Every structure is written in structure tokens, then in C-alpha cells.
Amino acid sequence: MLSDDELLRGAREGDEAAFTALYRRRQGAVYRFALHMSGDAAISEDVTQEVFLALLEGGGRFDPSRGSLLSFLYGIARNLLVRRLGAKQPKEYTEEPAADDDVLEDLTRRETIEAVRSAVLSLPAQYREAVVLCDLESASYEDAAAALECPVGTVRSRLSRGRGMLAQKLAAKAVRSLS
Amino acid sequence: MSEERVLEALRALAANDCEREAPPAVEARLLHKFRARHSSRKWRWAGIAAIAAGSVLAVSLSMNHVTKPEVSVPAPVMPVPLPAAPVAEAEVPAVRKVVRKMARPQAHEVVTEFFPLIDSAPPFERGQMLRVQLPAAAMRTVGLPVREDHLADPIQADVLVGEEGMPRAIRFVRFDVQ
């Protein structure tokens, strides 16, 4: 299987199959990152498209010594999201239930998931991006640091702080639902 | 709530969303843009290359025409048996080559910057530069202004070709006579 770097090289030389393979391999991660950061499917769709267009136009700026291609893509997505969202808090995003789900069992699970999603979306951006990259997308600290353009130590501390804030928010939500 | 519980909750969210992807329409739009981008680039270079090749051919044909004098070919002669006695070789007068030096004014070469022909090329390591002659209209392909009445004027250009054979960049040359 060709590496991301090899596919990128092919794509930049006009190889459509290489571009398609690279897009299919990485679009999900970029889309989910945008979705968890913005809570908006339309914005996530636009951001994903713009990330890969930017890759075609500015792929030459990618430097493998500074991080993986995925972290480069996250970095582009992050900049686009900052431009789109600005200081706005993202809107809450609720998934449509599937028709064939077992209703009762699914309700509890779905409530939990939506509570976590909502808590993540309510985090300040700098903590949210660390939690989304490291905990939801399983990015390494190094990749997250390359994407967020900060030292690994900063990623660790933001992640720790973000998790702490999530714990408080989820606990408060649990108390509210019990009462 | 403990950190372990938080991580568990995050894992549940990650597992729930792990198959979320951009809709297929995004891929279709990107491929459309990719094709448009690369076909226009191919045509842009193909245009310049065709003009350059035509110019080089025209120049080389005209050079041949100018430099090679017409030679009258004698009619074939039937072989004649050589005489048995040795014959002294006739002295052939040496042909003196006359080189005429023309007093030419000094031409000073002024070049533009290099304009990339490929937007996202791999890093240039080795290659060669080819001097070609193009109509001035070629300057418009890189955004340089050319007056309508000068579009057909010949102009020299340097094409930078990478070692993989791809033309990377072009610059235009003007000669200022001093």
C-alpha cells in the first residue's frame, strides 16, 4: 500500500487515482474533526472539501519532518474552522436515530453519547481541539502538537484540563437529569 | 466523575461516530476540480510546447537553408580500370576558410523572473534549461501584458525542464542593444 506521501506526490503530478485514494483514506478523519469541533454537518462538509483543495494547491508546503500528512490536514482544517467559527460557540449537533434500533436500549446509550457530544462542543476551543484529536480521533500527542502548532507538553496539559472540564460538565448533567 | 469514566464516555462517542464521513458529493466536486485543474495545466503547457517545437523546427529549417550552399552533384561515372604504373597524386590546392568578422553592437540580455508552469511540482533538484523562440503571445499565458499588434513578434524564452522531463518554469528574454 502506498504511503500518504507517495499518494500526495502522485496527486500533485496529476494522478487522479492517487488523489482519490488519498482523499478516501483521510477524508473521514478530517470530516469528523470538523464535525466534533463545529457541531455542524454543512460546515464540516465545506471544510473537508476546502482542506483537500488546499492540499492540491499548497501541498508543496507539507514538510514530512514536521509531522504526518494527517496532522497537516488537521492543521488546515483547524485554520478554516477558526475562520468560520471565530469566537462563536459551536452549535449542538444531534444525530438522527436509525429506524431499526432497539428503542429502549438505544435511548440510554444515545442519551449518554449526546450528553458527551454536547459537553465536548461546550468546551473552549483550545481544550476541545486537544480532546477531539487525542481522545476522539486517537491522534498521537506529536501529531496533535503538529496540527495545533504547539509543543507536546501544551497538548498534554490542554488535554488534561479538557478532560477535567468534561468530567465537571457530565457530572452536572447527571445531577440535573436525576433531579 | 473520574477521568476513567470520562475516557469511557469519549470512547463511546468515538465508536459511535467512527464511520461518519463526508458525503459522496464532496468527492465528486473535488474530482471535478482536480480534472479541470490538471487538464487546463496540460493544455497550457501543450500550447507553449507546441509553439516552442514549431519555432525550433522553423528556425532549424531556415538555418539549414541559409548555411548549406547548393551543391551540383556530378553524374555517376562508370569505373575505369586503373593503369598499372603508379600515378603521382595531383596536388590539391588548400581551401582557405574565410571568416568575416561582422562588427556587431553588444547585446545586453534582460530576463524576466521565472514563471512556474506547474503549480505544485516536486522540488527541483536537477534539470536543464532550454532556449526557445516563441511568439510574444506566449507571454500572455503567464499573465504578462503584450500589445495586440506585437502578439506574433518572436521572443526568446528559457524553459526550465526537470530531470523527469516536465517543464517547470519559463522566463522571457529581451535583448537591449547597447
Side-chain angles (χ1 to χ4, degrees):
Chain A
M1 192 172 69
L2 292 177
S3 70
D4 283 358
D5 295 6
E6 288 167 324
L7 290 177
L8 176 62
R9 205 173 307 128
R12 282 165 52 194
E13 286 168 5
D15 181 349
E16 186 179 317
F19 177 69
T20 307
L22 184 59
Y23 172 78
R24 288 183 182 166
R25 187 184 292 172
R26 297 302 178 196
Q27 56 85 20
V30 173
Y31 178 78
R32 285 191 300 274
F33 172 67
L35 188 64
H36 287 135
M37 287 298 294
S38 68
D40 188 313
I43 289 180
S44 309
E45 195 175 312
D46 286 352
V47 164
T48 306
Q49 180 171 320
E50 285 174 40
V51 164
F52 283 90
L53 275 180
L55 185 66
L56 279 182
E57 284 157 11
R61 289 199 302 271
F62 167 60
D63 177 2
S65 68
R66 293 177 61 190
S68 66
L69 181 71
L70 184 57
S71 65
F72 180 69
L73 297 178
Y74 282 141
I76 302 173
R78 178 185 178 240
N79 291 335
L80 291 168
L81 284 163
V82 167
R83 238 177 283 161
R84 285 285 188 111
L85 300 173
K88 269 194 305 186
Q89 200 60 24
K91 70 179 189 183
E92 293 206 359
Y93 172 80
T94 312
E95 189 184 313
E96 291 293 319
D100 56 351
D101 279 357
D102 180 282
V103 179
L104 279 179
E105 187 190 325
D106 189 56
L107 196 60
T108 321
R109 190 180 68 88
R110 196 168 296 283
E111 275 176 359
T112 308
I113 285 168
E114 294 314 318
V116 182
R117 191 194 306 282
S118 161
V120 170
L121 283 168
S122 70
L123 288 174
Q126 59 178 342
Y127 303 114
R128 193 178 346 130
E129 53 196 18
V131 167
V132 169
L133 285 178
C134 297
D135 287 339
L136 296 183
E137 288 303 321
S138 306
S140 67
Y141 292 142
E142 288 74 20
D143 275 354
L148 305 179
E149 296 174 323
C150 66
V152 170
T154 307
V155 173
R156 285 179 195 272
S157 64
R158 285 183 189 171
L159 192 56
S160 172
R161 178 92 180 98
R163 285 172 184 167
M165 291 166 87
L166 274 180
Q168 285 175 355
K169 285 172 188 288
L170 290 172
K173 204 163 262 191
V175 170
R176 273 203 303 277
S177 60
L178 279 175
S179 62
Chain B
M1 185 181 265
S2 70
E3 184 167 317
E4 189 44 48
R5 290 286 302 277
V6 172
L7 289 176
E8 199 179 301
L10 285 168
R11 276 196 290 272
L13 175 59
N16 184 74
D17 288 357
C18 70
E19 286 181 7
R20 289 198 161 273
E21 293 188 332
V26 176
E27 181 178 327
R29 286 197 292 268
L30 278 167
L31 283 179
H32 179 74
K33 294 198 176 189
F34 181 89
R35 285 174 197 143
R37 188 183 170 79
H38 284 281
S39 64
S40 70
R41 187 184 296 162
K42 270 182 205 160
W43 283 113
R44 183 170 65 176
W45 170 244
I48 291 178
I51 293 167
S55 308
V56 169
L57 188 66
V59 167
S60 64
L61 283 176
S62 64
M63 293 281 283
N64 277 346
H65 184 73
V66 169
T67 54
K68 284 187 182 169
E70 279 188 22
V71 178
S72 58
V73 181
V77 179
M78 292 300 289
V80 179
L82 288 170
V87 178
E89 281 185 15
E91 269 193 29
V92 180
V95 179
R96 265 200 309 175
K97 203 172 184 179
V98 179
V99 179
R100 278 189 204 162
K101 280 191 180 172
M102 290 177 69
R104 254 199 285 179
Q106 287 278 337
H108 177 63
E109 200 173 285
V110 180
V111 293
T112 65
E113 60 181 298
F114 273 104
F115 296 93
L117 294 168
I118 296 175
D119 296 327
S120 51
F124 182 84
E125 284 164 1
R126 272 181 299 182
Q128 57 180 347
M129 193 150 70
L130 302 177
R131 173 68 55 98
V132 295
Q133 185 165 297
L134 304 169
M139 293 171 71
R140 283 191 168 179
T141 60
V142 297
L144 292 174
V146 184
R147 276 173 39 191
E148 288 292 330
D149 51 335
H150 286 288
L151 288 177
D153 291 357
I155 186 165
Q156 304 261 338
D158 292 329
V159 179
L160 197 59
V161 182
E163 64 180 342
E164 75 291 340
M166 288 166 67
R168 300 299 195 84
I170 188 168
R171 74 177 179 190
F172 295 93
V173 186
R174 192 183 73 204
F175 294 96
D176 279 354
V177 180
Q178 289 179 333

